[in-house]
Amino acid sequence: MQAASYVLSVGMEVHAELLTKTKMFCRCPNEFGGEPNTRVCPVCLGLPGSLPVINRPAVEHVLRTALALNCRIAMRSVFHRKNYFYPDLPKAYQISQYGETNPLGHSGYMDFFTEDGGERRVRIRRVHLEEDTGKLMHLPGRKSGVDFNRAGVPLMEIVTDYPPDIHSPQEALDYSYQLRLLLIYLGACDGKMEEGSLRCEPNVSIAPEGHQELGTKTELKNLSSFRAVQSGIRHEAERMRHALERGDTLKQETRGWDEENEKSYVMRVKEFEDDYRYFPDPDLPPMVFSEEYIEGLRAALPELPTAKRKRFMEDLGLSDYDARLLLAGPAWARFFEEAVAQGGDPKQVCNWMNGDFSHLLNEAGRTAEASKVTPAHIADLTGLIASGKISGRIGKEVFEHVFQTGRMPSDVVKEEGKEQITDAGSIREVVSEVLSQNPEAVGKYREGKKGVHGFLVGQVMRKTEGMANPEMVNRLVTEELER
Amino acid sequence: MDLCGLAAAQMRRMLDSREVSAEELARAHLDRISRLDPAVRAFITVCEDRTLTDAAEAQKQIDGGGQGALTGIPVALKDNMITKGVRTTCASRILEKYVPPFEGTAAERLRRAGAVLLGKTNLDEFAMGSSTEYSAFFTTRNPWDLERVPGGSSGGSAAAVASGMAPIAYGSDTGGSVRQPAALCGVVGLKPTYGRISRYGLVAFSSSLDQIGPFGRSVEDVICAFEAVMGRDPHDSTTVDMPYDGSKAREPVLKGRRIGVPSELLSGEIAPDVSHAVRAALDLISDAGGETEEVSLPMIEHGVATYYIIAPAEASSNLARYDGVRYGLRIDADDSIEMMKGTRSAGFGSEVTQRIMIGTYVLSAGYYDAFYTKAHQARTIMKRQFQEAFRKFDLLIAPTSPVPAFRLGERLDDPMAMKLADFCTIPANIGGFPAISLNCGFSNGLPIGVQLIADSFQEETLFSVALALENLLPPFALPEIEVA
C-alpha cells in the first residue's frame, strides 16, 4: 500500500445498463451481444430525420434507484445533448443529463456493510439517465468497424460526491459490491461486470497527508471485475506515489486496466477540459413528475440488501458471514426466506443452502431457480433432521437424491427406508448381536482398551445400514459393554 | 384546358367524377415537369416510377370509394423530408447519394392518404438560406421572372407550385422558409403551430423552430394539405394532440375579426411597394368589416438576432452526425478524426459551415450564457409579448417578406441583407405560432405576400380569415414561363 504520508481519494462513477425490454429512445430490443448491427433502427443509428422518444420504464428504474440511494428527486428534469465526435457515437452527441439539480436524482447517500462487517456511508452526487454508445471493433487490415447494437441502450450513471468519501481500494470494492447488489435487488441492472453491463470507473488521486487539495486525478476504465477495481486502484495509487517520489508531475489522464498483466496503460491525456457544449435537447420535452407518482414508487421499493442483511442477523440470528452469502442474489435470498416461511429453521436452512445445495448447484452449473429443489424441499429436509427422523449424514444422501429427482425428502425417506431407527429395543438387539459376534473386542475393552468402542459402534451402524440413530448406538454400546 | 393549373380541389372533383384518372393527372404533371423544369429547376429528383405506382394505388382507392382529399393528387416534397427509397439530399454534397431506408411521418401519412409523389424539390443546403442559392447543386428560378430567386429555403417547392408542376408541395419553415418563398412566388404557404406536424422524417436544422408546412395555389388546398399530415405522432415527442375543427376552419369570416398590425413590421425595413400592397390588403379587410389596429411589439426588433443564435446552436449539434461513419459522403483518411474532418470540410457548403461555427461558438463554455441563455430569455419575452397581443387580437397581419423576389446573386455578397429577408417571418417561429402567407398583389410583375399570424393552435381562425381575405383578392393564375 502507499506510504503513510499520502492519502488516497477515490470518486466512483458507475455506469449501469438498465434492464429494459427496449433501448432508451427507440424500440430496438435491449440485449447483450449478437451479430453486429442486428439490433439497430433509424433512431439508434442517428439517421437523418429520426427522433428520440423517451423509454418510460428506464426513467422509472433510475427514479427507483435514486430513491433507494436516498437521493432528492428532480420533479422536473430535462435531457441534454453532450456534443463530441467519435465513431461509436451515432448522432455525434450523447443524450444525457447535465447540471447539479437537473439529474433525476441528486444529493443522496448509500449506507452499507464493509467486508469486515463495519458500516459505512458514501454520499451520492447524482444519478442520471443517458444512452450508451456503440462499440468499436478492430478488423483485419488496420480497419475498424462499429457495432451499434449497444448504441442507445439505457445507461444510468451514479456518481459519488466530492470530495470523495472513499479512501482505500477495499472501500472502493465494498462500495461497488454493495451498489451492484442494490441494483440487482431493484431489478434495475443485471450487474454483469464481465459483459460491461455494470462498469465501475474510479477517479483516483493521492495527496500528501494533511493537504486540503486533492491531487491530479486519473480516471480508470476497463475494470471488469471487483478484483480489478481493487487492484486497479491499488496499482494506480502506487504508480502515482512512485511518480511523485521521483519528483514527476502527474498528468490528468484516462488509463485502461490490463487485468491479465496487472498493469494500467494511458488511453487519453486530458490537456484541457473538454467542452461538450451541453444544451437541453429540443427533441425531448421536460420530464415532470407528481409528488404522488414519486411517493408511489418509494412505497413500492423492495426491502433493500442492507436492511435485509440487518434483519437476517438481528431477527433470524444468522452470522454476518451467512447473511452476506444468502444476500448474494435476490433469488437466493428469496429462496431462503420462503424455506423459513415454510417452517425451516433459519440456521439449518442457511447451512443447507450455503453448504450442500450451493455445492451441488456449482457442480451442475445451475442456478437455484433452474434446479429441481424448491424452498419446500429444504424446509422438509430440515424438519426431518430436527425431529430426529433422519440423521444429518442420511440427510446428505437424501438431499442428493432430492437434487437429482426433485422428490420430497419425506417421500424419499419413507420409500427408500431411510427413516432412522430410534427404537432403543431394536438397537439394543443389534448391539447385543454385535457384541456376541466380537468377543475379542469386548475382551479388549474390558482390559481397558476403550478405543474399540468406536469399532463396535461402526459394526452396529453397518448392520443397520446406517439407519440407527448414532447417538443412541453410542450410548447403548457403552451401556452393554459396561454391564 | 391545362390540368396542371387547376386547384387541387378541382382535381379532386375531376378524379371523383372519373373525368380524369390518377395516372393521367400524374402524367400531365410529369410532362409539365420535363417541359418546364429545365428552366425553373425546382426538382432535385423526379421519382417517375414511384409517381406511377402511387397513382395506380390512388386509382384503386378512388375506385373502391375510399378516397380522401388528397387521393390521386400529385405532391412534391422538399428534399429535406425523408422518403423511403427516394434519394433525400438536403441539397448537400454530404447526402448527395443518400437513399433513406425509412419513411418520414409526413411522407407516410401522404402515402396512406393516396397522394402521388412527384419528386423532391430544391432548397438551400440543409434549409439554411432564403433564396435556394445555397443549394449545393443549382439555384431554382422564380417562375415569375427566371432571373430572380424563388425565395428560400423551400424555393423548389414554392416554384413547383407556382409554375403548375405540382398543385401541392411541402416545405419546412424554420425562420420563414415556407412563407417567404410562397410570398416571392405568389402562392399560399403555411407554417403551422410548432407541434402540429410531426418532424419525424424532417432532417433537423433547428429542432425547436422547424415545422413542416404546405404550399398550394389556394387557401383551401393548403388546408387540405395541412389536414393530411397534421396530428400527434408517437415518433415525435414535440407533437401534441390539440383540437382542430376543419369545418370551422372553412367558414370564411372577416367581419368582427380584430386584427393587429405590428408597427415594427410596417416600418423602415419594408420596401415601399410591399408596404403599399399590404396596406391595400388592410383596406380590403376594413371594408369587409375586419377591425384593424396598429400594435407595437418591440421585441420583434430582436427577432433576427435571437434566431441567429438559437438556430445555429441547434444546427451545430444536429449536423454533427454527418461524419462519414455510417452514411453519406466519406473522404477516407488515416484515422477516424481526420476522416471526419475531411468529410465535413468537403461535404458542407460555406453557409452551412458558417452557421455550424457560429452555433459551436455560442454553445461554448464561457459564451453560453452571454449568447444561448440570453437568446432564450429573449425568446421567452418575445413569445409573451405576442401572447399579450393575442389577448386583444384574433390575428396579427404583416408583410411576409420585406422585399419582392430579388435578382439571382444580388444578395450573395451581402449576408446581412440575406438574413434580414426573414425579418417578418422569424417571430412566428420564435413563438411557435401558426402563420400563413397569401399573395396580395404584384409590383412590376413580382408577387407580394401578406401573412396572417395566429395564437398557438388557432389554425381554425387563421384559415377562416385567410379564406375570407383570399376571396377579396384576385385568384391565382399561372405565370407564362418561357422555355429556351
Side-chain angles (χ1 to χ4, degrees), chain A residues 233-381:
Chain A
I233 294 172
R234 184 184 298 129
H235 178 279
E236 185 54 23
E238 280 293 293
R239 192 191 64 81
M240 289 174 153
R241 185 173 63 83
H242 285 303
L244 290 179
E245 283 171 357
R246 273 199 310 273
D248 292 353
T249 312
L250 294 172
K251 276 179 280 193
Q252 188 174 329
E253 53 195 17
T254 303
R255 297 180 74 94
W257 179 244
D258 174 356
E259 191 154 12
E260 214 167 292
N261 297 306
E262 291 258 307
K263 268 166 79 175
S264 70
Y265 55 93
V266 183
M267 291 174 94
R268 204 160 71 98
V269 179
K270 281 192 172 180
E271 281 159 30
F272 42 85
E273 274 305 303
D274 293 306
D275 187 352
Y276 291 116
R277 307 188 310 280
Y278 284 98
F279 73 101
D281 191 336
D283 291 329
L284 297 167
M287 296 175 279
V288 181
F289 309 109
S290 71
E291 203 72 51
E292 297 94 288
Y293 170 67
I294 297 296
E295 288 316 310
L297 288 183
R298 194 196 303 276
L301 284 181
E303 186 183 29
L304 300 175
T306 304
K308 209 182 263 296
R309 185 159 164 179
K310 250 188 191 152
R311 186 165 58 79
F312 283 2
M313 289 162 67
E314 287 168 10
D315 298 358
L316 302 180
L318 300 185
S319 72
D320 176 44
Y321 175 80
D322 281 340
R324 186 180 159 98
L325 283 182
L326 285 178
L327 282 166
W332 194 238
R334 205 180 313 120
F335 194 106
F336 168 77
E337 297 198 77
E338 278 170 25
V340 171
Q342 293 180 33
D345 171 66
K347 181 65 192 162
Q348 290 307 316
V349 170
C350 172
N351 287 347
W352 279 99
M353 284 182 65
N354 288 341
D356 291 58
F357 192 22
S358 289
H359 179 71
L360 289 171
L361 286 174
N362 276 341
E363 252 177 13
R366 237 179 265 165
T367 60
E369 305 95 275
S371 81
K372 293 174 176 162
V373 180
T374 67
H377 288 101
I378 302 273
D380 185 34
L381 181 68

Side-chain angles (χ1 to χ4, degrees), chain A residues 37-50:
Chain A
N37 298 313
T38 51
R39 288 192 302 273
V40 292
C41 75
V43 176
C44 58
L45 283 175
L47 297 193
S50 67

Side-chain angles (χ1 to χ4, degrees), chain B residues 87-89 92-99 328-329:
Chain B
R87 189 172 68 128
T88 302
T89 68
S92 178
R93 294 279 172 220
I94 214 156
L95 288 177
E96 191 169 357
K97 295 172 182 150
Y98 179 67
V99 179
L329 183 72

Side-chain angles (χ1 to χ4, degrees), chain A residues 456-474:
Chain A
L456 292 167
V457 168
Q459 291 305 303
V460 175
M461 291 308 284
R462 183 186 287 179
K463 263 214 152 61
T464 59
E465 289 176 324
M467 305 312 294
N469 181 315
E471 278 161 43
M472 291 179 71
V473 173
N474 238 326

Side-chain angles (χ1 to χ4, degrees), chain A residues 45-46 49 81 83 90 275 283, chain B residues 199 201 317-318 321 326-327 365:
Chain A
L45 283 175
R81 293 185 183 181
N83 297 283
D275 187 352
D283 291 329
Chain B
R199 293 182 296 112
S317 175
N318 284 329
R321 68 186 63 192
R326 287 145 296 130
Y327 47 77

Side-chain angles (χ1 to χ4, degrees), chain A residues 42 46-51, chain B residues 50 77-90 95 98-111 117 120 126 198-204 212 321-322 327:
Chain A
L47 297 193
S50 67
L51 291 173
Chain B
R50 163 90 179 255
L77 300 181
K78 187 179 183 177
D79 207 20
N80 61 349
M81 293 173 72
I82 293 292
T83 42
K84 185 177 183 175
V86 178
R87 189 172 68 128
T88 302
T89 68
C90 294
L95 288 177
Y98 179 67
V99 179
F102 72 106
E103 198 86 272
T105 297
E108 177 64 31
R109 288 185 180 181
L110 286 170
R111 194 205 274 264
L117 182 63
K120 309 296 290 292
F126 282 101
S198 173
R199 293 182 296 112
Y200 190 74
L202 172 63
V203 178
I212 288 173
R321 68 186 63 192
Y322 308 104
Y327 47 77

